[in-house]
Amino acid sequence: MTTSDTEPELIGIEEFFADPEFSGATISPDGTRLAYRAPAHGRLNLWVRGIDEDHADAVCVTNDARRGITAFHWTDDPRWLLYLQDTDGNEDWHLFRVDLDAPGEPAVDLTPMAPGSRVFGIERSTEVPGTVLAWMNRRPTFLDTFRIEVATGVTTPHLEQTEPGTTVLLDRGERPAFVSRQADDGVIEFHTIDPETGDERPLQRIGGAEHPVGVQPQLVTPDGKGLLVGVYQDSDDLALVRIDRETGEREVVAAVPGHSLDIMGTMAPDVLPPTVFRSRRTGEVLAARFVGDRPRIEVIDPSFGEVYERLAGLSDGVLGTLSSDESERRWVATFVHDRDPAVAWFYDHETGESRQLFRAYPRLDPATAAPMNPVAFAARDGLPLHGFLTLPVGVEPRDLPLVLLVHGGPWANDSWGHDAPAQFLANRGYAVLQVNFRGSIGYGKRHLTAAIGEFAGAMHDDLIDAADWAVAQGYADPARIGIMGGSYGGYAALVGITVTPDYFAAAVDYVGISDLANFLRTLPPFVRPYNVNSWYRYVGDPEDPAQEADMRARSPLTMADRIRTPLLVAQGANDVRVVQAESDNIVASLRDRGVPVEYLVAEDEGHGFANPENQIRFYRAVERHFARHLGGRGEIG
């Protein structure tokens, strides 16, 4: 190892986990203004400024001092801006209206609802000016569509769901065009809907287990004559395909051999780059994102090709988010980058003018950040695995302490880009390995379905095989391997120290599952129809005694007597996905045996910490925990 004076200075935890100084920029439909997030009142709030102005001229238009704002939307009326907000992470999202003519006035809740009901998404109406369509479960187990008049808040039902688990897709006239529903065997059945009579006609059946998060995306073409979906066809790779409304024939719209369509953005559209980019003016699909060592953007609409070429020349990253005015002359784009996150640019396609708007974290120097290196190796059964290795800067990459950083889901993936926890750990001297174990989406049908029945089995073996690979390559010291993850990743960390109790020197469980049966029983009731191809297919149904017994055998709580690895647990008190009992029970089990465990509970958080003071508190504990037990840099405490 090189001498310590070649290592970069320790970067303060606040620099990694404080709110970004700027983020989420979008351009108004008329192309005259920008809206974006920036700190105010101790939280991320919304700011608006003229397209040619800078932040000194901007006006803060929200006043949230409790929880930062994540998702917001322009309307067709330049007076109003909309945003979504929950309470302390409980995910009961409400839609709020901001009056840009009176930014000091309190925001108006357009969707007052009983606890447990929420807004799942909104779209600007293409048919009725001054309104938006919102999807809400005012009926607790039904996801219905409502029309909301933005200026008055008047809300009327637009389309009611006839049975839980169905999805009705609207055409640009906002009439029912297609419906998808899940059959008892998990297959997704698509039907056309006659807009005049409402009669349904079978169109396609698309397989089940290879779509654990549903068939994504599901988009009606602007002419209403086709349905765009992600399907595997006869390939192992997920492609974007058009299904003809009349004939049922399939046409490949975008496909990349050896790569799958990246559907992560369909599951978290307000925080992740989109699966497809769509024209604000016409609704046509402009381009699609595919999974790779670096995300790949495939242009679909030839008219977008020149715009994309100019945008791509602005950064050595990958196009992340994109918005335009109605004329598609003016564009605002952000870019995915491993060392310089979320840089936003303005581009005028008519004049060719471009300029950088802002960097999300201007105090972080890209030159001192650690590159995120793609890696590949085989699991013990020969299944190809892909991942990313982030190594400390200025240190010889030999015999380092290693942190295996496990993503959640498990139907998600790690992808190339800025990862604050990985950068923080690398700065503290750790090699950070992220592996897309079997069950991760984006690496093909075979890779995905290889996870069926393999919780605490082959999915765990993949993680061990990844760490063993890092040891064999000389990167990692086998005596100083830690494991850390959130949600499913927290479950994986607990599995790691129960199924293989002597392998890891330290572990961090962040909002993780300890009891699979209890986890499924405590999920909100409206999600059950959507879990047929995921949790019930891959893990089991806790209402079946035999399956429940198998789930208990794969649950860390039933194996807690094997834990002797130093453990840190963190939990949000308002978590509706992984309830606090999941953490309470594993901690109580260890404390009853006299096994030391550090436990952090944030009373104002849900499934993951959003407020910066909670993130900083958590990662300060992570720094101490790993420094004490793995020997990295930073405060030991």
Side-chain angles (χ1 to χ4, degrees), residues 474-551:
Y475 295 120
D477 177 352
R480 295 190 294 160
I481 298 176
I483 185 169
M484 171 178 170
S487 195
Y488 172 85
Y491 165 82
L494 294 175
V495 167
I497 60 176
T498 51
V499 173
T500 48
D502 298 318
Y503 193 89
F504 295 101
V508 177
D509 160 27
Y510 180 38
V511 298
I513 301 162
S514 66
D515 182 338
L516 291 167
N518 184 67
F519 159 72
L520 280 172
R521 286 195 175 104
T522 54
L523 285 174
F526 62 81
V527 306
R528 182 180 175 89
Y530 303 97
N531 281 339
V532 171
N533 285 328
S534 54
W535 291 99
Y536 295 108
R537 181 69 180 90
Y538 281 69
V539 184
D541 186 342
E543 303 312 312
D544 180 302
Q547 294 183 43
E548 181 187 20
D550 181 69
M551 295 168 74

Side-chain angles (χ1 to χ4, degrees), residues 59-192:
V59 176
C60 182
V61 298
T62 58
N63 302 280
D64 199 323
R66 183 166 181 171
R67 193 167 187 83
I69 295 171
T70 301
F72 67 95
H73 304 266
W74 288 100
T75 71
D76 58 3
D77 187 327
R79 179 176 177 180
W80 311 114
L81 199 66
L82 303 177
Y83 71 91
L84 293 169
Q85 186 59 286
D86 69 348
T87 302
D88 294 339
N90 66 1
E91 300 190 47
D92 284 355
W93 301 99
H94 288 222
L95 182 66
F96 291 85
R97 185 193 69 206
V98 176
D99 186 347
L100 300 187
D101 289 345
E105 294 295 316
V108 175
D109 185 355
L110 297 178
T111 56
M113 293 179 286
S117 296
R118 63 189 66 172
V119 177
F120 288 80
I122 70 164
E123 285 186 5
R124 186 159 57 103
S125 175
T126 56
E127 286 294 296
V128 183
T131 70
V132 295
L133 295 178
W135 284 261
M136 300 184 279
N137 67 324
R138 282 185 166 180
R139 298 185 295 164
T141 59
F142 291 85
L143 186 55
D144 301 322
T145 310
F146 297 83
R147 184 180 302 280
I148 302 175
E149 189 174 297
V150 175
T152 66
V154 171
T155 300
T156 55
H158 181 70
L159 184 69
E160 291 191 335
Q161 194 178 46
T162 56
E163 56 185 293
T166 60
T167 300
V168 176
L169 304 173
L170 308 178
D171 63 18
R172 279 183 73 80
E174 297 174 353
R175 301 168 301 179
F178 299 89
V179 61
S180 69
R181 60 173 56 89
Q182 201 159 252
D184 291 341
D185 61 359
V187 172
I188 312 299
E189 298 178 339
F190 287 90
H191 297 248
T192 62

